Amino acid sequence: MELHLSDGISLCFNDGVNARLFAPTDSIPVKYQLRIDFTDGWVLLFTVAMYGGIISFEHAYDNEYYIISKEGLSPLADGFNEAYFRKLLGSVKPGISAKAFLATQQRIPGLGNGVLQDILFQARIHPKQKMGKLTEEEAIRLFSSIKEVLAEMSRLGGRDTEKDIWGNPGKYHTILSKNTYRQKCPVCRGDIVKTAYLGGSVYYCPVCQPLE
């Protein structure tokens, strides 16, 4: 997210930063990383978790991931079609995993570890599956799942594991997340697996998402 302030100054914050807006009558938390007070008494607070970052810059921000994400095509855009997706597939080494393909290098701007769980579940692809081993059918399923899951998350105001600027949780009910992994798989009723992989937790059903 990027806020454009006066005199060419911008404030940019990424995934891992929670932004919360408080009314003049609200009780303000004592712990935060950045506080912005508005003249009408409202307060915007930023808190950082894990890898989140808040950056203020003038005119330009010379950061590789920032530039890539700005120039990349949103998966919600019409131009993010099957032909575009196949170009992305062709740009990576066959040994890269499905999680790494989706959530690293800003190949798909805004797509991170939190949303890829349901995308891969709906596509029936294991997070560690090598992209070079995807069948034609799996590639089509993955593309469709990216478009459909992200569109639904956007329509419902985000995931129920996150809160908006007002402190309200999203209305998209996650299938695989920290809220649900102790439950049974909604398809096969088997156990959901949680494991650490590539700098974050992944959730998957070993029956519905077999690793080839």
Side-chain angles (χ1 to χ4, degrees):
M1 182 67 68
E2 187 172 338
L3 304 178
H4 297 284
L5 311 178
S6 61
D7 301 323
I9 302 296
S10 294
L11 184 71
C12 182
F13 57 99
N14 59 13
D15 191 23
V17 177
N18 297 311
R20 179 78 183 276
L21 189 62
F22 294 88
T25 56
D26 290 337
S27 177
I28 307 298
V30 296
K31 293 184 177 180
Y32 50 84
Q33 277 65 55
L34 178 63
R35 171 173 173 164
I36 298 177
D37 288 81
F38 296 96
T39 55
D40 59 2
W42 288 75
V43 175
L44 182 61
L45 290 188
F46 298 87
T47 55
V48 179
M50 297 176 62
Y51 47 80
I54 305 172
I55 305 98
S56 179
F57 57 92
E58 185 175 10
H59 303 303
Y61 177 36
D62 187 19
N63 176 275
E64 177 185 1
Y65 294 107
Y66 169 81
I67 295 172
I68 292 174
S69 66
K70 290 278 283 188
E71 295 177 347
L73 185 62
S74 167
L76 298 178
D78 292 338
F80 194 102
N81 51 32
E82 188 173 339
Y84 180 84
F85 180 69
R86 290 191 179 279
K87 288 182 180 179
L88 289 181
L89 289 177
S91 69
V92 300
K93 295 180 179 180
I96 193 173
S97 68
K99 174 182 175 176
F101 170 73
L102 292 177
T104 63
Q105 304 298 318
Q106 286 293 311
R107 293 182 188 87
I108 305 177
L111 200 163
N113 192 65
V115 301
L116 68 83
Q117 317 294 339
D118 281 13
I119 288 173
L120 291 177
F121 179 78
Q122 297 284 33
R124 304 195 298 279
I125 295 173
H126 194 286
K128 297 182 181 180
Q129 178 67 52
K130 302 302 182 185
M131 296 302 292
K133 291 186 176 181
L134 288 187
T135 65
E136 176 68 15
E137 180 184 355
E138 288 173 330
I140 294 174
R141 286 207 308 262
L142 181 56
F143 166 72
S144 298
S145 183
I146 291 171
K147 297 288 288 188
E148 293 168 6
V149 171
L150 292 181
E152 187 68 358
M153 287 182 178
S154 178
R155 186 182 71 84
L156 294 175
R159 294 171 283 143
D160 56 4
T161 54
E162 303 293 333
K163 294 181 179 180
D164 63 17
I165 199 169
W166 307 102
N168 302 313
K171 295 180 180 179
Y172 173 90
H173 297 294
T174 50
I175 302 171
L176 301 183
S177 71
K178 62 183 180 182
N179 292 349
T180 64
Y181 84 94
R182 291 184 178 86
Q183 303 171 12
K184 296 295 184 180
C185 171
V187 175
C188 72
R189 308 308 298 171
D191 291 332
I192 298 298
V193 174
K194 174 187 177 182
T195 188
Y197 181 57
L198 292 182
S201 295
V202 290
Y203 307 90
Y204 62 91
C205 173
V207 176
C208 297
Q209 299 166 267
L211 180 61
E212 298 178 4

